[in-house]
Amino acid sequence: MNRRGWGLLIAGTLLVGGALIGAVGADRFAPSDPEAIRLADALLSPSAEHWMGTDQLGRDLFSRMLHGARVSMRVGVGAIGIATAVGLLIGGLAGLLGGRWDGWIMRLTDVMLCFPTIFLILAAVAFLDNSEWNIILIIGLTGWMGVARLTRAEVLSLREREFILAARAAGAGPARILFRHLIPNALGPVIVSAALGVGTAILIESGLSFLGLGIQPPTPSWGNILTEGKETLGAAWWLTLFPGLAIFFVVLGCNLLGEGLRRRWRSS
Amino acid sequence: MTPPLLEAAGLSRRYPVRSHPLGPVTGWIDAVREVDLALSAGETVGLVGESGCGKSTLARILAGLIPPSAGTVRFEGTALFQLDPAGRRRFRRTVQIIFQDPFTTLDPLMTIGQSVAEPLAIHRIGNRRERGERTRQLLGEVGLPPEWSGRFPDTLSGGQRQRVGIARALALNPRLLICDEAVSALDLSVQAQILALLNDLREKRGLALLFISHDLGVVGAIADRIGVMAEGRIVECQPNPALFEAPRHPAARRLVELALEGA
Ligand SMILES: Nc1ncnc2c1ncn2[C@@H]1O[C@H](COP(=O)(O)OP(=O)(O)O)[C@@H](O)[C@H]1O
Ligand SMILES: [Mg+2]
């Protein structure tokens, strides 16, 4: 792999890794309780005491951002975990079974793909209560189609690759073909798409929370911090700048990581 | 008389045609039609025909990779589908195949050493160290530096990858090597090198070759006997130089003209 590929991988790992460390260590790193209201300290600009300033209710923004990272990371990783597992299963089955099964399974996938995902999610959120687990489930169950198509295409094209035929000509059985050749070769693109997907899921959660349909206050999430910040946009820039930047950099990090992994995979 | 190494009788293979994967079968493609062919030990048989005439399908049936729709392939006199597990293993070790596309012939995630050693691992031949030793020996035999064993395929040129494919096919000491357009994707000078390697292996190992190409010029450079395929059938079969002088079937005449133009 060339220097550029390594650069992407390292930059992506730093950005995503930073957010992960912040999320995991939120309790330890946060200077104060993210939900502790101190009206006397409302809307303080960033300072040595409050690195990212405070919000309308005097809560420390840095603490809220760390706890919000937890929500973003859990939703991003959880939803994509579900989407990837479902997509691998459905796409792998379609590719392996082939013929009519393949036709029916992929027709179902295309039908799902035809619904604009965001409306599906909005409709589902309207009926269910918006707990974090429900949001993970909804984003995951509306996001598997890409992985399914990818896996199917991988399995179908791999099945015809000459190295598979060569292994069969040497006497390899189905288990060896599956575990030594098909799965390792199909996994690369799937992991790449999962890394990209985490970014998308984080963006969807932020969007939902921004619309008031996601994580409910007072629990902080980057999306709902942004919503609250927008009311005081003229007076307190930090309330929109920091969550905006956090979302931007983490999604960017996921994309860099995905692209770096893609190059890494292609070159080995 | 001992039976030929590999003998095909009345081989056909058809594929259903559907307008879409869920649609009804609207027709059939006869990729291979009633082909008879015998390959004896040590002999090099060429097979030419335009692209799409069924050469690869025939090669894959002969290598036991896909079943025929009709007809039988006999290995040392026994039909393939009647072989017991031991016979099947012996068939796998005796008949090997190399392919056209140097970019998909090797698993990109395996080192070339792992690829070459895979047939040995499948047949549980030797321990890890012995397989490594044998792999380096095979790489040497196909003209690659043995210390490249740990490299990944993406660091090799097309011609070098084809050499790795040949080394892998030789790992089980086969007696017949089916070469399906083995040099077609390569530059002319590299083609000549790979042909020279195959010729060399044929002499040193007494290997029989079924050498398949759409280019009669290439086949003429190596084969003792040449079969011409058209629309799934073998329409003509003649000893090597004779075919160039007196092709009978129109398809054969066309291929001879093309080959002479190219030369
Ligand atoms: N798996 C398949 N399904 C449907 N049709 C096939 C399949 N494999 C080959 N064919 C058809 O059979 C014919 C012969 O193909 P092939 O054996 O690859 O020819 P060649 O190797 O001479 O170019 C072609 O018309 C091709 O489209
Ligand atoms: Mg072909």
Side-chain angles (χ1 to χ4, degrees):
Chain A
M1 193 160 76
N2 58 19
R3 296 237 321 253
R4 204 185 146 89
W6 279 112
L8 291 171
L9 209 55
I10 291 169
T13 309
L14 284 178
L15 287 172
V16 176
L20 264 179
I21 290 172
V24 171
D27 286 326
R28 180 176 294 256
F29 302 140
S32 60
D33 179 348
E35 296 177 22
I37 298 174
R38 294 236 299 280
L39 291 173
D41 290 344
L43 297 179
L44 296 177
S45 57
S47 64
E49 196 181 342
H50 298 288
W51 291 358
M52 294 186 180
T54 62
D55 68 3
Q56 303 90 315
L57 301 177
R59 296 174 296 194
D60 179 55
L61 183 59
F62 182 57
S63 305
R64 290 180 65 70
M65 289 296 298
L66 286 174
H67 283 268
R70 240 181 212 190
V71 172
S72 290
M73 284 304 174
R74 273 201 302 247
V75 171
V77 173
I80 291 314
I82 292 174
T84 305
V86 174
L88 267 175
L89 187 72
I90 292 184
L93 272 179
L96 279 178
L97 295 175
R100 294 189 164 239
W101 280 104
D102 179 30
W104 286 113
I105 294 173
M106 291 326 285
R107 192 170 277 186
L108 171 81
T109 305
D110 288 341
V111 168
M112 283 287 296
L113 215 50
C114 284
F115 285 111
T117 315
I118 192 69
F119 290 120
L120 218 57
I121 293 174
L122 288 176
V125 170
F127 285 110
L128 302 169
D129 63 291
N130 25 28
S131 70
E132 189 182 310
W133 173 240
N134 278 343
I135 288 169
I136 290 176
L137 207 62
I138 292 164
I139 297 178
L141 291 181
T142 51
W144 55 266
M145 292 82 76
V147 179
R149 297 189 67 121
L150 192 68
T151 308
R152 168 183 177 269
E154 282 297 318
V155 170
L156 279 184
S157 93
L158 285 167
R159 260 191 355 184
E160 301 301 318
R161 294 286 166 88
E162 295 177 346
F163 64 81
I164 303 281
L165 291 173
R168 285 180 47 215
R176 187 182 184 93
I177 301 284
L178 192 64
F179 291 110
R180 286 292 171 85
H181 296 290
L182 283 179
I183 288 182
N185 277 287
L187 212 54
V190 170
I191 289 176
V192 170
S193 107
L196 298 171
V198 169
T200 311
I202 289 175
L203 217 47
I204 292 176
E205 184 278 319
S206 302
L208 284 177
S209 296
F210 185 74
L211 294 174
L213 296 166
I215 305 299
Q216 295 301 300
T219 306
S221 92
W222 292 348
N224 69 27
I225 295 174
L226 204 54
T227 314
E228 293 172 6
K230 124 185 143 239
E231 329 245 309
T232 51
L233 190 57
W237 49 268
W238 55 91
L239 287 178
T240 42
L241 180 72
F242 290 115
L245 281 181
I247 295 168
F248 172 76
F249 278 116
V250 168
V251 173
L252 178 70
C254 290
N255 283 279
L256 293 178
L257 199 60
E259 178 61 19
L261 285 173
R262 195 171 66 77
R263 292 183 186 215
R264 173 94 193 84
W265 230 284
R266 221 179 28 196
S267 71
S268 71
Chain B
M1 212 185 91
T2 57
L5 196 54
L6 204 62
E7 185 179 25
L11 279 191
S12 298
R13 170 79 199 200
R14 49 184 8 201
Y15 290 107
V17 182
R18 292 187 166 95
S19 52
H20 59 96
L22 293 177
V25 177
T26 54
W28 297 88
I29 292 180
D30 288 288
V32 171
R33 310 180 202 214
E34 293 164 32
V35 165
D36 300 322
L37 184 69
L39 298 158
S40 302
E43 166 182 54
T44 295
V45 175
L47 196 61
V48 267
E50 295 178 351
S51 134
C53 73
K55 304 181 299 291
S56 293
T57 306
L58 179 58
R60 284 165 196 199
I61 297 173
L62 291 173
L65 293 174
I66 54 176
S69 312
T72 45
V73 178
R74 291 178 183 280
F75 169 61
E76 294 176 336
T78 313
L80 283 192
F81 65 89
Q82 286 175 333
L83 288 173
D84 57 13
R88 187 113 202 126
R89 265 195 303 283
R90 208 154 42 82
F91 168 70
R92 288 296 181 208
R93 295 179 62 160
T94 310
V95 178
Q96 282 292 302
I97 181 165
I98 57 180
F99 300 96
Q100 168 168 15
D101 185 353
F103 292 93
T104 72
T105 204
L106 301 174
D107 188 330
L109 299 182
M110 285 166 62
T111 64
I112 65 177
Q114 285 172 320
S115 282
V116 173
E118 186 174 33
L120 299 171
I122 290 169
H123 289 262
R124 300 209 171 81
I125 296 170
N127 59 31
R128 191 174 285 267
R129 197 185 50 77
E130 289 162 344
R131 289 203 286 263
E133 187 50 44
R134 179 95 182 94
T135 299
R136 281 186 289 279
Q137 205 182 324
L138 285 161
L139 288 177
E141 191 175 351
V142 298
L144 291 174
E147 61 275 13
W148 282 15
S149 180
R151 286 201 182 191
F152 284 95
D154 68 326
T155 62
L156 271 60
S157 71
Q160 290 164 344
R161 291 179 209 204
Q162 281 305 71
R163 287 177 191 268
V164 177
I166 294 172
R168 173 178 59 195
L170 293 177
L172 297 170
N173 288 322
R175 290 163 61 205
L176 169 64
L177 193 58
I178 299 174
C179 312
D180 184 8
E181 306 266 17
V183 301
S184 305
L186 306 175
D187 295 338
L188 279 182
S189 61
V190 185
Q191 274 194 1
Q193 291 166 15
I194 299 291
L195 280 174
L197 170 65
L198 287 171
N199 233 329
D200 204 41
L201 291 169
R202 176 167 77 133
E203 276 166 25
K204 286 195 184 129
R205 289 174 163 252
L207 204 58
L209 298 181
L210 176 61
F211 191 88
I212 299 174
S213 176
H214 64 278
D215 182 350
L216 180 57
V218 174
V219 176
I222 196 164
D224 305 323
R225 182 159 67 93
I226 301 175
V228 178
M229 253 185 114
E231 292 175 1
R233 295 177 202 281
I234 294 189
V235 293
E236 179 163 352
C237 196
Q238 290 207 49
N240 184 359
L243 178 72
F244 285 85
E245 280 138 35
R248 288 187 295 264
H249 192 277
R253 253 178 266 146
R254 221 171 18 247
L255 289 166
V256 169
E257 270 165 35
L258 273 174
L260 295 181
E261 268 171 39

